[in-house]
Amino acid sequence: FPSHDNSNNQAKSNIEYLAAVPRESLAALYASCAALILPSRWFEGQPMTVIEAQSHGTIVIAADSANMRGMISHEEDGYLYAIHPNNQLNEVISIFEARSNETKDALSKAAYDRFLRSYTINQHINALKLLYHFESRAKNNSGDLSQTNSQD
């Protein structure tokens, strides 16, 4: 969505469908969007598109799935829509467009805050340290058990 216009008649004309976008153009594109729609019906592990959008405070509208629920909190920092039994994307777009600019700004801030909490380089480093800490403890504990068992 290129704007925060509340007009339902203009909502559909505000949607711009894009193919691949050069990486160097993404920041400006995210900054100009009111929201990004990720309409994938397929399992998406942890799409960089969502992380990149949130890093610019762009609200993401995505198909509801377990992994998207881990990345987007419905109506808190983005929107999730059901695809089964009926695809509800149009309804969620209408709900989004009807929100006040104040609400959209709050959603945008929450999307950026989620990025800061979950996806910065420091978050990644801390997660790796935690993983290695647990792996190291598990290895040390299993080594202790094998030494104990060999002494029996």
Side-chain angles (χ1 to χ4, degrees):
F1 291 112
S3 75
H4 281 247
D5 190 304
N6 285 332
S7 166
N8 284 334
N9 292 333
Q10 194 173 10
K12 293 202 182 3
S13 67
N14 280 346
I15 296 174
E16 188 175 343
Y17 298 90
L18 300 174
V21 174
R23 178 157 293 286
E24 59 274 5
S25 302
L26 288 175
L29 186 60
Y30 288 130
S32 70
C33 291
L36 170 98
I37 299 173
L38 185 69
S40 180
R41 293 175 161 255
W42 306 106
F43 178 80
E44 302 280 346
Q46 187 177 40
M48 285 301 297
T49 304
V50 173
I51 296 169
E52 290 169 349
Q54 290 173 333
S55 77
H56 290 85
T58 302
I59 300 161
V60 178
I61 299 171
D64 190 7
S65 66
N67 57 319
M68 287 296 100
R69 274 181 249 126
M71 298 181 79
I72 299 166
S73 295
H74 183 64
E75 295 188 331
E76 291 178 24
D77 57 24
Y79 290 88
L80 299 169
Y81 65 91
I83 56 173
H84 298 291
N86 299 318
N87 189 324
Q88 296 178 344
L89 176 57
N90 287 335
E91 289 86 354
V92 171
I93 290 172
S94 294
I95 290 167
F96 172 77
E97 283 293 308
R99 298 292 188 241
S100 68
N101 286 343
E102 183 178 274
T103 299
K104 291 176 186 175
D105 288 345
L107 286 162
S108 175
K109 181 183 179 326
Y112 181 69
D113 288 346
R114 177 180 283 268
F115 167 77
L116 292 177
R117 280 192 321 272
S118 304
Y119 304 114
T120 63
I121 188 72
N122 288 336
Q123 293 295 344
H124 184 70
I125 289 169
N126 289 337
L128 285 173
K129 285 179 180 176
L130 188 61
L131 174 68
Y132 285 118
H133 172 74
F134 283 122
E135 183 65 27
S136 176
R137 284 187 68 199
K139 185 176 181 181
N140 288 339
N141 288 342
S142 67
D144 291 343
L145 290 175
S146 64
Q147 289 176 359
T148 305
N149 290 339
S150 66
Q151 293 175 359
D152 288 340

